Amino acid sequence: MLLHIPDVLTRAQVVQIRQRLDQADWVDGRATVGAQGAQVKHNRQLPEHSPVSQELGQLILDALAGNALFFAAALPLHTIPPLFNSYTGGEHYGAHIDGAIRSLPGGRRMRTDVSCTLFLSDPEDYEGGELIVTDTYGAHEVKLPAGDLILYPSTSIHHVEQVTSGTRVCSFFWTQSMVRDDWQRSLLLELDQNIQSLRARVGDCPELVGLTGHYHNLLRQWSEL
Ligand code: NI
């Protein structure tokens, strides 16, 4: 599932975050990747444990906590504190796959099931910089308005095209889902969205109670906590 979630952040939140990020000290993005990633990664990142990264990351986690579509799509169990990256002057990130396991604060480990990129630059602020995600249906090009998020399975190979002018600033993070399998998560999201639109159209009825029960019973079968 490749899902665009609009307006995760308000325009005011984007401006607030960008003001802080534009004054921050960035480091080489290769600080957080393994050997394969280090060969193809050319960008800058905010140091993972810096106070500004933690503060802005918390702001994003709070916004996600109130986002019903993110919850329905990701079915999050754990989400790492969001990180921040910046591409300018020809920087890019070649084809790679995100590491399967990451550490949470306090040292606990989590599995990465869902990858997210939250755009903090508008498309007209830079040339290039498209996120290209490859799945069984081919390659998908993603470049979203600031404040919007793309969610995709962490099992996908992806890359970021060269930024040939301007600056592309994003936040990125991973979630361990209560439902490990991408296809099962897609089925649950589709069922949930159909139940909601049916309820808006016809109101509550016994069939909708049954379908809602079906949703929860599938979640009960497939979730791991
Ligand atoms: Ni990646």
Side-chain angles (χ1 to χ4, degrees), residues 33-50:
V33 283
Q36 192 271 331
Q39 290 172 37
V40 293
K41 189 173 184 183
H42 303 280
N43 68 358
R44 285 159 304 128
Q45 269 178 212
L46 216 55
E48 210 169 339
H49 303 294
S50 68

PDB file of all heavy atoms in Angstrom, residues 33-50:
ATOM      1  N   VAL A  33      23.035   4.838   8.513  1.00  0.00           N
ATOM      2  CA  VAL A  33      22.752   3.698   7.621  1.00  0.00           C
ATOM      3  C   VAL A  33      23.805   2.605   7.741  1.00  0.00           C
ATOM      4  O   VAL A  33      24.907   2.819   8.241  1.00  0.00           O
ATOM      5  CB  VAL A  33      22.683   4.109   6.126  1.00  0.00           C
ATOM      6  CG1 VAL A  33      21.388   4.792   5.817  1.00  0.00           C
ATOM      7  CG2 VAL A  33      23.872   4.938   5.717  1.00  0.00           C
ATOM      8  N   GLY A  34      23.468   1.459   7.202  1.00  0.00           N
ATOM      9  CA  GLY A  34      24.406   0.343   7.131  1.00  0.00           C
ATOM     10  C   GLY A  34      25.318   0.475   5.923  1.00  0.00           C
ATOM     11  O   GLY A  34      25.306   1.493   5.214  1.00  0.00           O
ATOM     12  N   ALA A  35      26.096  -0.585   5.665  1.00  0.00           N
ATOM     13  CA  ALA A  35      27.143  -0.522   4.648  1.00  0.00           C
ATOM     14  C   ALA A  35      26.588  -0.275   3.248  1.00  0.00           C
ATOM     15  O   ALA A  35      27.145   0.508   2.476  1.00  0.00           O
ATOM     16  CB  ALA A  35      27.935  -1.828   4.673  1.00  0.00           C
ATOM     17  N   GLN A  36      25.450  -0.925   2.910  1.00  0.00           N
ATOM     18  CA  GLN A  36      24.908  -0.739   1.550  1.00  0.00           C
ATOM     19  C   GLN A  36      24.389   0.685   1.378  1.00  0.00           C
ATOM     20  O   GLN A  36      24.677   1.343   0.388  1.00  0.00           O
ATOM     21  CB  GLN A  36      23.784  -1.756   1.284  1.00  0.00           C
ATOM     22  CG  GLN A  36      23.354  -1.851  -0.193  1.00  0.00           C
ATOM     23  CD  GLN A  36      22.247  -0.864  -0.575  1.00  0.00           C
ATOM     24  OE1 GLN A  36      21.423  -0.479   0.254  1.00  0.00           O
ATOM     25  NE2 GLN A  36      22.233  -0.444  -1.829  1.00  0.00           N
ATOM     26  N   GLY A  37      23.648   1.169   2.390  1.00  0.00           N
ATOM     27  CA  GLY A  37      23.088   2.511   2.316  1.00  0.00           C
ATOM     28  C   GLY A  37      24.169   3.577   2.217  1.00  0.00           C
ATOM     29  O   GLY A  37      24.023   4.561   1.492  1.00  0.00           O
ATOM     30  N   ALA A  38      25.272   3.374   2.934  1.00  0.00           N
ATOM     31  CA  ALA A  38      26.335   4.389   2.976  1.00  0.00           C
ATOM     32  C   ALA A  38      26.940   4.631   1.592  1.00  0.00           C
ATOM     33  O   ALA A  38      27.414   5.717   1.299  1.00  0.00           O
ATOM     34  CB  ALA A  38      27.421   3.956   3.957  1.00  0.00           C
ATOM     35  N   GLN A  39      26.883   3.617   0.735  1.00  0.00           N
ATOM     36  CA  GLN A  39      27.453   3.787  -0.603  1.00  0.00           C
ATOM     37  C   GLN A  39      26.580   4.646  -1.502  1.00  0.00           C
ATOM     38  O   GLN A  39      27.060   5.204  -2.492  1.00  0.00           O
ATOM     39  CB  GLN A  39      27.638   2.413  -1.263  1.00  0.00           C
ATOM     40  CG  GLN A  39      28.738   1.594  -0.612  1.00  0.00           C
ATOM     41  CD  GLN A  39      28.763   0.179  -1.172  1.00  0.00           C
ATOM     42  OE1 GLN A  39      28.523  -0.026  -2.356  1.00  0.00           O
ATOM     43  NE2 GLN A  39      29.031  -0.777  -0.314  1.00  0.00           N
ATOM     44  N   VAL A  40      25.289   4.733  -1.214  1.00  0.00           N
ATOM     45  CA  VAL A  40      24.379   5.415  -2.142  1.00  0.00           C
ATOM     46  C   VAL A  40      23.719   6.654  -1.531  1.00  0.00           C
ATOM     47  O   VAL A  40      23.012   7.381  -2.217  1.00  0.00           O
ATOM     48  CB  VAL A  40      23.274   4.444  -2.652  1.00  0.00           C
ATOM     49  CG1 VAL A  40      23.887   3.353  -3.525  1.00  0.00           C
ATOM     50  CG2 VAL A  40      22.474   3.830  -1.510  1.00  0.00           C
ATOM     51  N   LYS A  41      23.959   6.898  -0.236  1.00  0.00           N
ATOM     52  CA  LYS A  41      23.256   7.988   0.452  1.00  0.00           C
ATOM     53  C   LYS A  41      24.086   9.263   0.411  1.00  0.00           C
ATOM     54  O   LYS A  41      25.217   9.293   0.903  1.00  0.00           O
ATOM     55  CB  LYS A  41      22.976   7.577   1.902  1.00  0.00           C
ATOM     56  CG  LYS A  41      22.061   8.534   2.658  1.00  0.00           C
ATOM     57  CD  LYS A  41      21.705   7.976   4.026  1.00  0.00           C
ATOM     58  CE  LYS A  41      20.711   8.862   4.758  1.00  0.00           C
ATOM     59  NZ  LYS A  41      20.417   8.372   6.099  1.00  0.00           N
ATOM     60  N   HIS A  42      23.510  10.308  -0.161  1.00  0.00           N
ATOM     61  CA  HIS A  42      24.210  11.598  -0.252  1.00  0.00           C
ATOM     62  C   HIS A  42      23.224  12.677   0.160  1.00  0.00           C
ATOM     63  O   HIS A  42      22.502  13.237  -0.676  1.00  0.00           O
ATOM     64  CB  HIS A  42      24.703  11.838  -1.685  1.00  0.00           C
ATOM     65  CG  HIS A  42      25.593  10.743  -2.184  1.00  0.00           C
ATOM     66  ND1 HIS A  42      26.933  10.659  -1.859  1.00  0.00           N
ATOM     67  CD2 HIS A  42      25.321   9.666  -2.954  1.00  0.00           C
ATOM     68  CE1 HIS A  42      27.449   9.577  -2.416  1.00  0.00           C
ATOM     69  NE2 HIS A  42      26.506   8.955  -3.082  1.00  0.00           N
ATOM     70  N   ASN A  43      23.162  12.964   1.444  1.00  0.00           N
ATOM     71  CA  ASN A  43      22.287  14.026   1.928  1.00  0.00           C
ATOM     72  C   ASN A  43      22.774  14.444   3.310  1.00  0.00           C
ATOM     73  O   ASN A  43      23.818  13.983   3.780  1.00  0.00           O
ATOM     74  CB  ASN A  43      20.820  13.569   1.957  1.00  0.00           C
ATOM     75  CG  ASN A  43      20.539  12.496   2.996  1.00  0.00           C
ATOM     76  OD1 ASN A  43      21.438  12.036   3.709  1.00  0.00           O
ATOM     77  ND2 ASN A  43      19.297  12.087   3.095  1.00  0.00           N
ATOM     78  N   ARG A  44      22.024  15.309   3.949  1.00  0.00           N
ATOM     79  CA  ARG A  44      22.355  15.715   5.318  1.00  0.00           C
ATOM     80  C   ARG A  44      21.170  15.411   6.229  1.00  0.00           C
ATOM     81  O   ARG A  44      20.028  15.380   5.775  1.00  0.00           O
ATOM     82  CB  ARG A  44      22.714  17.199   5.357  1.00  0.00           C
ATOM     83  CG  ARG A  44      24.123  17.472   4.778  1.00  0.00           C
ATOM     84  CD  ARG A  44      24.289  18.890   4.338  1.00  0.00           C
ATOM     85  NE  ARG A  44      23.250  19.227   3.381  1.00  0.00           N
ATOM     86  CZ  ARG A  44      22.449  20.282   3.475  1.00  0.00           C
ATOM     87  NH1 ARG A  44      22.562  21.125   4.478  1.00  0.00           N
ATOM     88  NH2 ARG A  44      21.523  20.501   2.565  1.00  0.00           N
ATOM     89  N   GLN A  45      21.487  15.172   7.490  1.00  0.00           N
ATOM     90  CA  GLN A  45      20.464  14.852   8.480  1.00  0.00           C
ATOM     91  C   GLN A  45      20.691  15.680   9.735  1.00  0.00           C
ATOM     92  O   GLN A  45      21.817  16.081  10.030  1.00  0.00           O
ATOM     93  CB  GLN A  45      20.567  13.381   8.886  1.00  0.00           C
ATOM     94  CG  GLN A  45      19.723  12.478   8.040  1.00  0.00           C
ATOM     95  CD  GLN A  45      19.865  11.024   8.414  1.00  0.00           C
ATOM     96  OE1 GLN A  45      19.760  10.214   7.537  1.00  0.00           O
ATOM     97  NE2 GLN A  45      20.098  10.711   9.666  1.00  0.00           N
ATOM     98  N   LEU A  46      19.611  15.855  10.479  1.00  0.00           N
ATOM     99  CA  LEU A  46      19.739  16.436  11.808  1.00  0.00           C
ATOM    100  C   LEU A  46      20.240  15.329  12.733  1.00  0.00           C
ATOM    101  O   LEU A  46      19.749  14.205  12.635  1.00  0.00           O
ATOM    102  CB  LEU A  46      18.351  16.887  12.250  1.00  0.00           C
ATOM    103  CG  LEU A  46      18.235  18.159  13.069  1.00  0.00           C
ATOM    104  CD1 LEU A  46      18.904  19.313  12.348  1.00  0.00           C
ATOM    105  CD2 LEU A  46      16.756  18.472  13.291  1.00  0.00           C
ATOM    106  N   PRO A  47      21.216  15.608  13.614  1.00  0.00           N
ATOM    107  CA  PRO A  47      21.682  14.541  14.519  1.00  0.00           C
ATOM    108  C   PRO A  47      20.492  13.954  15.288  1.00  0.00           C
ATOM    109  O   PRO A  47      19.663  14.692  15.825  1.00  0.00           O
ATOM    110  CB  PRO A  47      22.653  15.267  15.455  1.00  0.00           C
ATOM    111  CG  PRO A  47      23.083  16.476  14.699  1.00  0.00           C
ATOM    112  CD  PRO A  47      21.910  16.867  13.834  1.00  0.00           C
ATOM    113  N   GLU A  48      20.453  12.619  15.323  1.00  0.00           N
ATOM    114  CA  GLU A  48      19.294  11.879  15.820  1.00  0.00           C
ATOM    115  C   GLU A  48      18.866  12.285  17.237  1.00  0.00           C
ATOM    116  O   GLU A  48      17.693  12.367  17.549  1.00  0.00           O
ATOM    117  CB  GLU A  48      19.668  10.397  15.810  1.00  0.00           C
ATOM    118  CG  GLU A  48      18.524   9.461  15.602  1.00  0.00           C
ATOM    119  CD  GLU A  48      19.029   8.038  15.350  1.00  0.00           C
ATOM    120  OE1 GLU A  48      20.202   7.865  14.953  1.00  0.00           O
ATOM    121  OE2 GLU A  48      18.261   7.110  15.567  1.00  0.00           O
ATOM    122  N   HIS A  49      19.861  12.515  18.099  1.00  0.00           N
ATOM    123  CA  HIS A  49      19.525  12.752  19.506  1.00  0.00           C
ATOM    124  C   HIS A  49      19.634  14.219  19.908  1.00  0.00           C
ATOM    125  O   HIS A  49      19.634  14.539  21.086  1.00  0.00           O
ATOM    126  CB  HIS A  49      20.412  11.879  20.409  1.00  0.00           C
ATOM    127  CG  HIS A  49      20.287  10.426  20.066  1.00  0.00           C
ATOM    128  ND1 HIS A  49      19.113   9.719  20.254  1.00  0.00           N
ATOM    129  CD2 HIS A  49      21.165   9.557  19.502  1.00  0.00           C
ATOM    130  CE1 HIS A  49      19.275   8.477  19.836  1.00  0.00           C
ATOM    131  NE2 HIS A  49      20.507   8.352  19.368  1.00  0.00           N
ATOM    132  N   SER A  50      19.718  15.117  18.921  1.00  0.00           N
ATOM    133  CA  SER A  50      19.840  16.539  19.265  1.00  0.00           C
ATOM    134  C   SER A  50      18.507  17.029  19.837  1.00  0.00           C
ATOM    135  O   SER A  50      17.438  16.530  19.467  1.00  0.00           O
ATOM    136  CB  SER A  50      20.217  17.350  18.028  1.00  0.00           C
ATOM    137  OG  SER A  50      19.156  17.355  17.103  1.00  0.00           O
TER     138      SER A  50
END
